Amino acid sequence: MTKIKESSTNFANKKALADECPEIYASNIIGGQWALAICCYLINGKMRFGELKKKLQNITERMLTLQLRRLEEDEIITRTVYAEVPPKVEYELTEIGYKLKPIILELEKWGNEHKQIMEKK
């Protein structure tokens, strides 16, 4: 996952769109394939790294770590580290993260409807 150079036209275009359109702003935060999938699993409650890794079988540990850090930076999830040996770390949606639940459920409903339409072709 590479970062877009802040001096690039692509960065300027993304920023301008996000500033003008809240929907684009939101999709930039959860629009990635893995970010939304992580949020889907966390709407049911806290999970540990290993549990998320098992659910997202095709994600690498590095990509999962990067996605979790990004979601934490955006305050969508919180990371709680317990002083235990071995260390126990749990991830959970924040208050604003839990507000994604009805949106995720609607996306699921829309996705199922669209999939049925496409299968009829």
CSV table of all heavy atoms in Angstrom, one decimal, residues 9 14 18 30 34 37-38 49 63 67 73 75 78-79 85 100 114:
chain,number,residue,atom,x,y,z
A,9,THR,N,-0.9,15.5,-8.8
A,9,THR,CA,-2.3,16.0,-9.2
A,9,THR,C,-3.3,15.0,-8.7
A,9,THR,O,-4.4,15.5,-8.3
A,9,THR,CB,-2.3,16.0,-10.8
A,9,THR,OG1,-1.2,16.8,-11.2
A,9,THR,CG2,-3.6,16.5,-11.3
A,14,LYS,N,-8.1,14.1,-5.4
A,14,LYS,CA,-8.8,13.3,-4.4
A,14,LYS,C,-9.2,14.2,-3.2
A,14,LYS,O,-10.3,14.1,-2.7
A,14,LYS,CB,-7.9,12.2,-3.9
A,14,LYS,CG,-7.9,11.0,-4.7
A,14,LYS,CD,-7.1,9.9,-4.0
A,14,LYS,CE,-7.8,8.6,-4.3
A,14,LYS,NZ,-7.4,7.4,-3.6
A,18,ALA,N,-13.0,15.0,-2.0
A,18,ALA,CA,-13.3,14.7,-0.6
A,18,ALA,C,-13.8,16.0,0.1
A,18,ALA,O,-14.7,15.9,0.9
A,18,ALA,CB,-12.2,14.1,0.1
A,30,ILE,N,-13.3,4.1,4.1
A,30,ILE,CA,-13.7,2.7,4.1
A,30,ILE,C,-13.8,2.0,2.8
A,30,ILE,O,-14.2,0.9,2.7
A,30,ILE,CB,-15.1,2.5,4.9
A,30,ILE,CG1,-16.2,3.2,4.1
A,30,ILE,CG2,-15.0,2.9,6.3
A,30,ILE,CD1,-17.6,2.7,4.5
A,34,TRP,N,-10.1,-4.2,2.0
A,34,TRP,CA,-9.9,-4.8,3.3
A,34,TRP,C,-10.5,-3.9,4.4
A,34,TRP,O,-11.0,-4.5,5.4
A,34,TRP,CB,-8.4,-5.0,3.5
A,34,TRP,CG,-7.8,-5.9,2.5
A,34,TRP,CD1,-6.8,-5.6,1.6
A,34,TRP,CD2,-8.1,-7.3,2.3
A,34,TRP,NE1,-6.6,-6.7,0.8
A,34,TRP,CE2,-7.3,-7.8,1.3
A,34,TRP,CE3,-9.0,-8.2,2.9
A,34,TRP,CZ2,-7.4,-9.1,0.8
A,34,TRP,CZ3,-9.1,-9.5,2.5
A,34,TRP,CH2,-8.3,-9.9,1.5
A,37,ALA,N,-14.1,-4.8,4.8
A,37,ALA,CA,-14.2,-6.2,5.3
A,37,ALA,C,-13.9,-6.2,6.8
A,37,ALA,O,-14.6,-6.9,7.5
A,37,ALA,CB,-13.3,-7.1,4.5
A,38,ILE,N,-12.9,-5.5,7.2
A,38,ILE,CA,-12.5,-5.5,8.6
A,38,ILE,C,-13.7,-4.9,9.4
A,38,ILE,O,-14.1,-5.5,10.5
A,38,ILE,CB,-11.2,-4.7,8.8
A,38,ILE,CG1,-10.0,-5.4,8.3
A,38,ILE,CG2,-11.0,-4.4,10.3
A,38,ILE,CD1,-8.8,-4.6,8.1
A,49,PHE,N,-6.2,-9.9,16.5
A,49,PHE,CA,-5.6,-9.9,15.2
A,49,PHE,C,-5.7,-11.3,14.6
A,49,PHE,O,-6.1,-11.4,13.4
A,49,PHE,CB,-4.1,-9.5,15.4
A,49,PHE,CG,-3.3,-9.4,14.1
A,49,PHE,CD1,-3.2,-8.2,13.5
A,49,PHE,CD2,-2.7,-10.5,13.5
A,49,PHE,CE1,-2.5,-8.1,12.3
A,49,PHE,CE2,-2.0,-10.4,12.3
A,49,PHE,CZ,-1.9,-9.2,11.7
A,63,MET,N,-0.5,-6.5,5.3
A,63,MET,CA,-1.6,-5.7,4.8
A,63,MET,C,-2.7,-5.5,5.9
A,63,MET,O,-3.2,-4.4,6.1
A,63,MET,CB,-2.3,-6.3,3.6
A,63,MET,CG,-3.4,-5.5,3.0
A,63,MET,SD,-3.0,-3.8,2.6
A,63,MET,CE,-2.0,-4.0,1.2
A,67,GLN,N,-3.8,-1.9,7.3
A,67,GLN,CA,-5.2,-1.5,7.3
A,67,GLN,C,-5.7,-1.2,8.7
A,67,GLN,O,-6.4,-0.2,8.9
A,67,GLN,CB,-6.1,-2.6,6.7
A,67,GLN,CG,-5.9,-2.8,5.2
A,67,GLN,CD,-6.3,-1.6,4.4
A,67,GLN,OE1,-7.4,-1.1,4.5
A,67,GLN,NE2,-5.4,-1.1,3.6
A,73,GLU,N,-5.9,5.3,12.8
A,73,GLU,CA,-5.6,6.7,12.6
A,73,GLU,C,-6.8,7.5,12.2
A,73,GLU,O,-7.0,8.7,12.6
A,73,GLU,CB,-4.6,6.9,11.4
A,73,GLU,CG,-3.2,6.5,11.7
A,73,GLU,CD,-2.3,6.6,10.5
A,73,GLU,OE1,-2.6,7.2,9.5
A,73,GLU,OE2,-1.2,6.0,10.6
A,75,GLU,N,-9.7,6.9,13.3
A,75,GLU,CA,-10.5,6.8,14.5
A,75,GLU,C,-11.8,6.0,14.2
A,75,GLU,O,-12.9,6.2,14.8
A,75,GLU,CB,-10.8,8.1,15.1
A,75,GLU,CG,-9.6,8.8,15.6
A,75,GLU,CD,-9.8,10.1,16.3
A,75,GLU,OE1,-11.0,10.4,16.7
A,75,GLU,OE2,-8.8,10.9,16.5
A,78,THR,N,-10.5,1.1,17.6
A,78,THR,CA,-9.5,1.3,18.7
A,78,THR,C,-8.7,0.0,18.9
A,78,THR,O,-9.2,-1.0,18.6
A,78,THR,CB,-10.2,1.7,20.0
A,78,THR,OG1,-11.1,0.6,20.3
A,78,THR,CG2,-10.9,3.0,20.0
A,79,ARG,N,-7.5,0.2,19.3
A,79,ARG,CA,-6.6,-0.9,19.6
A,79,ARG,C,-6.3,-0.9,21.1
A,79,ARG,O,-5.8,0.0,21.6
A,79,ARG,CB,-5.4,-0.7,18.8
A,79,ARG,CG,-4.3,-1.8,19.0
A,79,ARG,CD,-3.1,-1.4,18.1
A,79,ARG,NE,-2.1,-2.5,18.1
A,79,ARG,CZ,-1.0,-2.4,18.9
A,79,ARG,NH1,-0.8,-1.3,19.7
A,79,ARG,NH2,-0.2,-3.4,18.9
A,85,VAL,N,1.3,-11.8,29.1
A,85,VAL,CA,2.3,-12.6,28.4
A,85,VAL,C,1.7,-13.9,27.9
A,85,VAL,O,1.3,-14.6,28.7
A,85,VAL,CB,3.6,-12.8,29.2
A,85,VAL,CG1,4.6,-13.7,28.4
A,85,VAL,CG2,4.2,-11.5,29.7
A,100,LEU,N,-21.3,2.9,11.3
A,100,LEU,CA,-21.3,2.3,10.0
A,100,LEU,C,-22.2,1.0,9.8
A,100,LEU,O,-22.5,0.6,8.7
A,100,LEU,CB,-19.9,1.8,9.6
A,100,LEU,CG,-18.8,2.9,9.3
A,100,LEU,CD1,-17.4,2.3,9.3
A,100,LEU,CD2,-19.2,3.6,8.0
A,114,HIS,N,-28.0,-6.9,-6.3
A,114,HIS,CA,-27.3,-6.7,-7.5
A,114,HIS,C,-26.7,-8.0,-8.0
A,114,HIS,O,-26.8,-8.3,-9.2
A,114,HIS,CB,-26.2,-5.7,-7.3
A,114,HIS,CG,-25.6,-5.3,-8.6
A,114,HIS,ND1,-24.4,-5.9,-9.1
A,114,HIS,CD2,-25.9,-4.4,-9.6
A,114,HIS,CE1,-24.1,-5.4,-10.2
A,114,HIS,NE2,-25.0,-4.4,-10.6
